[in-house]
Amino acid sequence: MKKTIKVLSIMIVLAISLNMLVGCNVDELRAKYSHATTFKRFSGELEENVTLRVLDNDTALKQGYFDELIEAFNKKYEDKGIVAVDANMDSYSDLANDGPYGYGPDVLYQANDVLMKYATSKHILPLPIEKLDCYGQVSEKAWDAYKTTINSKEYTCGVPVNIQMPMLYYRKDMLPADWQSSWDKNNNEVPDMLESWTEMYAFSKEIRQLDDDKYGYMKSLFDPFFSLGYMLTYGGYIFGEDNSDPSEIGLAAGNAELGIQMIMQLATIMNEEATDDTITLNAYSKMAKGEYFATMTTPDVYSMFINQFAMEKESDGMSKADALKYAEENLLMTTIPTSPLSGDLTDRDGEQIGSKIVGGINGYAISSYTKSPVASLEFVNFATNYDNVMQRNEMLGVVPARLDAVTALGGMELNVYEFLEDGDLVIMPSIEEMAQFWPPMQTFLSDVVMDAFRDENKRKFSTLTLMKEGLNKVSKQIFDAIYTLK
Amino acid sequence: MSTKLSLKSKTKKIGNDVKEKFSKEHMKESFENKKEEVAVKTVYKRDNIKHFFQTANSNVFASMCLMGLGQLMYKQIVKGLIYLSFEILSIVYFVMYGGKAIYNFFTLGLITGDPWLEIAGDNSVVMMLMGILTWFIVVLTIVMYYTNIKDVYNTQIRVLKGGMPEKIGESLAQLADKKFYKTILALPLIGVLIFNVLPIIFMILIAFTDYGGDIVPPELISWVGLENFEKLATLGEIAPTFLKILSWNLLWAFSSTFINYALGLGLAILLNKKCVKGKAIWRGFPILAYAIPGFITLIGFKFMFSVGGPINQIISDAGGDVISFLGIDAKWTARAIGLVVNAWISVPTIMLLTTGILSNMNTDLYEAAEIDGASKRKQFFKITLPFVIFSTTPVLISQFIGNFNNFGIFYFLRGGLTLDGYFLASDTDLLINWLYNLSIDNNYYAIGAAISLVIFIITSAVSLGVYVRSDAYKKEDTFR
């Protein structure tokens, strides 16, 4: 036994010594590379006769946009033999595990928080973004979503394509007939309930009073992606240092508890279904049936709402074309309403402030394991040019991250872009610690929403102080989830 | 007529054979052979190293120096060459790969990969796997070395006893006859080693590393000893969660196993009654519940008990308040629903099993008990239950393990909650759900592996403990 221990000890000592020796070699190797040479992989000749595997999102594939894109690209680079193909894999392909073994796509299109998880471990390449046509046109805030700092140096690892921001979906045909006289105080031809949460609250109450089976605004309030904005509006934030420092969790900062108060008030115009995802799942059919006046979701599902609404109208006896036309005219999207400065939804005459909302930037990144980095960059450049971004908007309804595109489009697209520029659209943190953020936050919000339906004496968040305490508690939970096992 | 005669003569022949077999002379001869066999075995038993070295001849020593050489000296060419080739292959493997793999197993890599700089780096996970595989090969080499010596020593004894060294044809014939079990079990054994034992060892070893969190490839993993188990037992956030979940897990496993078993047996006894008409139809209903995939049933139940589900619809239509059956505050309600849903899924299995066992019961026992004046209750506890438990103890144990590790129930019914006082878990989560939350949702693989090791120890201790104390084990040959 003693002999075995001796042999093992010698082996471990040898291992450690060798570790140090090899460590020196690695350091030398690293020293060979400087910051400037990081982009060396993009400085070579364009690789010819290569196949690029491109991973785009499901909607782009289903709506036919992706096929058009690669067809146009392949035609342009036919003489070079460069062919882009669908990577044909799950949209949540695991680049970290597959990439090193030669699997996975060359180019990926995903949300910034998903893509940037790969950046920390260098699974996606830092890009020479100045070389791209879209460089000067894309909002600086959108570029920020793809920035990462490694060894005190800043790199950009993705190219923004479109802005994902939750929008307010509403049924125009459910507005009161006299809305211009009774619900347009500022006479700007926009119904008040679409402009402020206080008016939406009042209108929703009115709907409930008139018909027990109908609701005004409905949303699964437990979902942090859509509900965080209420807290951010009143000074809360997710992580410190512009969402890059997970050691500082600012959910309770400022008067964030006012956001909790708003969530609880909104819950009272809904029902217990706001505590889980029932409303989100039912929204398509309930909006189509006219049981909900409004809901909030991302623009990429607009076509699904329209299709459901059109089907409903068809079943009412309309022709297919008329039903579609009616749906498109009456199911509309707009940016989120303003919030009361007091955080009290019954305060209809008080001052209003701009609401904040959490969103994301979808874009392209290039795998570090690609054999054709230059061709991949060429594809990204092609896919993010003005024409293709406009085409993506036309076919998928997404909001471009390019200023020239949104200026040309105007309307809702320009509004969303302005939300981003003004800082009211808070981009989802691009750090992997977000994985530990969602479950505790979701549970907390579910508890908050449930509180609105508890008996008075059983309420956990009956005062603003208790709401603040709740936010502090969930912040600690998130901190513990991130750091306890680090 | 001729057939009759032939049968008669055959019967006579068999009778003579039996007579001969049990004749005094034959018995004596057989006894002498047995004695010789025992003597040889005794030599083996006493063959400590000293005795072995005293009796082994030069051929045996030759095989000790070079595998297969002794066999070659005995002119067992094919066998000798097989052993020799194995040794050469082993040496080549260990020189070219094995030594490095063992070394990597201890270091788990030295070069951190950097995809940006195209430095492939070391993959600690692969190194660990290759290390385990190499340890398997080390063990295999030792086993082969031992069998090589044992084989040549056996040949020496055989020759000393006046026999001839076994020819390859004889050895192969034995593998197809007397040692056929070795031939037939070799492939499954290799499969089990590679596809079952290797991943289990890998999982166990992960529990002794810092794999997870920020330490995932291309970062290098390190050995950390018992650190993860210390965290489970002492870390402020984790230890209370672990104890709370463990106690609920034990309660859940025992109560759900009891409920499922009792209901399944009860249903089987009920449907076994003579007075029940249309038994096949009645038995069909529970089988329907069994036939539907478990997760579909779970999603169905989740919908039924959700705030917008049909049960709440009925309650609100009747003028009552909506109940959040699976919500944050619904600790015991959710646990009770879990037990009910689990019973819904599992009771049919027990019912089917016990129905089969009950149909094999000797009805004379009941008649005798009736005559002796035993009540129905007494008959159940003294006849039916012992018989059914005897036959189903292994199933009962597997039910317990299955329930202890029942991932689906609370994952589907109440997944995604992380409650106050729990670290990344809720008050209905079982250890397996917590393990999932930690290792899959949060990448804390090492601590997850430590938990799975604890689960393994508990379940194996309980199952073994119960099984060796059960009649099914102790009276396997007597209780019929």
PDB file of all heavy atoms in Angstrom, chain A residues 6-18:
ATOM      1  N   LYS A   6       3.521   5.831  -2.755  1.00  0.00           N
ATOM      2  CA  LYS A   6       4.770   6.456  -3.224  1.00  0.00           C
ATOM      3  C   LYS A   6       4.740   6.646  -4.731  1.00  0.00           C
ATOM      4  O   LYS A   6       5.054   7.711  -5.249  1.00  0.00           O
ATOM      5  CB  LYS A   6       5.965   5.560  -2.837  1.00  0.00           C
ATOM      6  CG  LYS A   6       6.602   5.933  -1.503  1.00  0.00           C
ATOM      7  CD  LYS A   6       7.837   5.074  -1.307  1.00  0.00           C
ATOM      8  CE  LYS A   6       8.333   5.200   0.123  1.00  0.00           C
ATOM      9  NZ  LYS A   6       9.401   4.236   0.408  1.00  0.00           N
ATOM     10  N   VAL A   7       4.357   5.576  -5.430  1.00  0.00           N
ATOM     11  CA  VAL A   7       4.319   5.637  -6.910  1.00  0.00           C
ATOM     12  C   VAL A   7       3.363   6.734  -7.367  1.00  0.00           C
ATOM     13  O   VAL A   7       3.690   7.544  -8.239  1.00  0.00           O
ATOM     14  CB  VAL A   7       3.897   4.263  -7.499  1.00  0.00           C
ATOM     15  CG1 VAL A   7       3.652   4.371  -8.998  1.00  0.00           C
ATOM     16  CG2 VAL A   7       4.957   3.224  -7.215  1.00  0.00           C
ATOM     17  N   LEU A   8       2.192   6.783  -6.731  1.00  0.00           N
ATOM     18  CA  LEU A   8       1.198   7.804  -7.091  1.00  0.00           C
ATOM     19  C   LEU A   8       1.743   9.208  -6.850  1.00  0.00           C
ATOM     20  O   LEU A   8       1.571  10.106  -7.682  1.00  0.00           O
ATOM     21  CB  LEU A   8      -0.091   7.592  -6.295  1.00  0.00           C
ATOM     22  CG  LEU A   8      -1.050   6.547  -6.863  1.00  0.00           C
ATOM     23  CD1 LEU A   8      -2.223   6.351  -5.924  1.00  0.00           C
ATOM     24  CD2 LEU A   8      -1.574   6.989  -8.230  1.00  0.00           C
ATOM     25  N   SER A   9       2.408   9.383  -5.701  1.00  0.00           N
ATOM     26  CA  SER A   9       2.957  10.707  -5.378  1.00  0.00           C
ATOM     27  C   SER A   9       3.959  11.138  -6.432  1.00  0.00           C
ATOM     28  O   SER A   9       3.945  12.275  -6.898  1.00  0.00           O
ATOM     29  CB  SER A   9       3.646  10.677  -4.013  1.00  0.00           C
ATOM     30  OG  SER A   9       2.809  10.108  -3.069  1.00  0.00           O
ATOM     31  N   ILE A  10       4.839  10.183  -6.818  1.00  0.00           N
ATOM     32  CA  ILE A  10       5.849  10.529  -7.836  1.00  0.00           C
ATOM     33  C   ILE A  10       5.148  10.932  -9.136  1.00  0.00           C
ATOM     34  O   ILE A  10       5.509  11.923  -9.774  1.00  0.00           O
ATOM     35  CB  ILE A  10       6.813   9.333  -8.072  1.00  0.00           C
ATOM     36  CG1 ILE A  10       7.669   9.139  -6.813  1.00  0.00           C
ATOM     37  CG2 ILE A  10       7.705   9.567  -9.280  1.00  0.00           C
ATOM     38  CD1 ILE A  10       8.408   7.821  -6.742  1.00  0.00           C
ATOM     39  N   MET A  11       4.101  10.198  -9.505  1.00  0.00           N
ATOM     40  CA  MET A  11       3.366  10.499 -10.741  1.00  0.00           C
ATOM     41  C   MET A  11       2.757  11.900 -10.692  1.00  0.00           C
ATOM     42  O   MET A  11       2.814  12.656 -11.657  1.00  0.00           O
ATOM     43  CB  MET A  11       2.263   9.459 -10.969  1.00  0.00           C
ATOM     44  CG  MET A  11       2.811   8.157 -11.482  1.00  0.00           C
ATOM     45  SD  MET A  11       1.534   6.921 -11.656  1.00  0.00           S
ATOM     46  CE  MET A  11       0.913   7.306 -13.265  1.00  0.00           C
ATOM     47  N   ILE A  12       2.190  12.244  -9.518  1.00  0.00           N
ATOM     48  CA  ILE A  12       1.545  13.559  -9.385  1.00  0.00           C
ATOM     49  C   ILE A  12       2.591  14.668  -9.462  1.00  0.00           C
ATOM     50  O   ILE A  12       2.411  15.666 -10.167  1.00  0.00           O
ATOM     51  CB  ILE A  12       0.718  13.631  -8.083  1.00  0.00           C
ATOM     52  CG1 ILE A  12      -0.509  12.710  -8.202  1.00  0.00           C
ATOM     53  CG2 ILE A  12       0.268  15.052  -7.776  1.00  0.00           C
ATOM     54  CD1 ILE A  12      -1.196  12.396  -6.905  1.00  0.00           C
ATOM     55  N   VAL A  13       3.733  14.459  -8.767  1.00  0.00           N
ATOM     56  CA  VAL A  13       4.802  15.474  -8.805  1.00  0.00           C
ATOM     57  C   VAL A  13       5.285  15.658 -10.235  1.00  0.00           C
ATOM     58  O   VAL A  13       5.467  16.779 -10.714  1.00  0.00           O
ATOM     59  CB  VAL A  13       5.960  15.069  -7.857  1.00  0.00           C
ATOM     60  CG1 VAL A  13       7.170  15.947  -8.096  1.00  0.00           C
ATOM     61  CG2 VAL A  13       5.513  15.141  -6.414  1.00  0.00           C
ATOM     62  N   LEU A  14       5.465  14.530 -10.928  1.00  0.00           N
ATOM     63  CA  LEU A  14       5.910  14.607 -12.330  1.00  0.00           C
ATOM     64  C   LEU A  14       4.898  15.368 -13.173  1.00  0.00           C
ATOM     65  O   LEU A  14       5.267  16.206 -13.998  1.00  0.00           O
ATOM     66  CB  LEU A  14       6.076  13.196 -12.897  1.00  0.00           C
ATOM     67  CG  LEU A  14       7.428  12.527 -12.619  1.00  0.00           C
ATOM     68  CD1 LEU A  14       7.386  11.069 -13.050  1.00  0.00           C
ATOM     69  CD2 LEU A  14       8.543  13.253 -13.346  1.00  0.00           C
ATOM     70  N   ALA A  15       3.631  15.071 -12.921  1.00  0.00           N
ATOM     71  CA  ALA A  15       2.561  15.730 -13.685  1.00  0.00           C
ATOM     72  C   ALA A  15       2.596  17.236 -13.482  1.00  0.00           C
ATOM     73  O   ALA A  15       2.519  18.017 -14.438  1.00  0.00           O
ATOM     74  CB  ALA A  15       1.212  15.199 -13.256  1.00  0.00           C
ATOM     75  N   ILE A  16       2.759  17.639 -12.210  1.00  0.00           N
ATOM     76  CA  ILE A  16       2.774  19.077 -11.911  1.00  0.00           C
ATOM     77  C   ILE A  16       3.988  19.744 -12.565  1.00  0.00           C
ATOM     78  O   ILE A  16       3.888  20.811 -13.166  1.00  0.00           O
ATOM     79  CB  ILE A  16       2.750  19.311 -10.385  1.00  0.00           C
ATOM     80  CG1 ILE A  16       1.410  18.822  -9.809  1.00  0.00           C
ATOM     81  CG2 ILE A  16       2.975  20.774 -10.044  1.00  0.00           C
ATOM     82  CD1 ILE A  16       1.391  18.665  -8.313  1.00  0.00           C
ATOM     83  N   SER A  17       5.147  19.047 -12.486  1.00  0.00           N
ATOM     84  CA  SER A  17       6.360  19.624 -13.077  1.00  0.00           C
ATOM     85  C   SER A  17       6.181  19.802 -14.569  1.00  0.00           C
ATOM     86  O   SER A  17       6.514  20.839 -15.137  1.00  0.00           O
ATOM     87  CB  SER A  17       7.551  18.699 -12.832  1.00  0.00           C
ATOM     88  OG  SER A  17       7.529  18.247 -11.516  1.00  0.00           O
ATOM     89  N   LEU A  18       5.629  18.780 -15.199  1.00  0.00           N
ATOM     90  CA  LEU A  18       5.439  18.854 -16.643  1.00  0.00           C
ATOM     91  C   LEU A  18       4.457  19.948 -17.016  1.00  0.00           C
ATOM     92  O   LEU A  18       4.611  20.643 -18.009  1.00  0.00           O
ATOM     93  CB  LEU A  18       4.942  17.500 -17.154  1.00  0.00           C
ATOM     94  CG  LEU A  18       5.489  17.165 -18.528  1.00  0.00           C
ATOM     95  CD1 LEU A  18       6.867  16.557 -18.399  1.00  0.00           C
ATOM     96  CD2 LEU A  18       4.555  16.212 -19.240  1.00  0.00           C
TER      97      LEU A  18
END
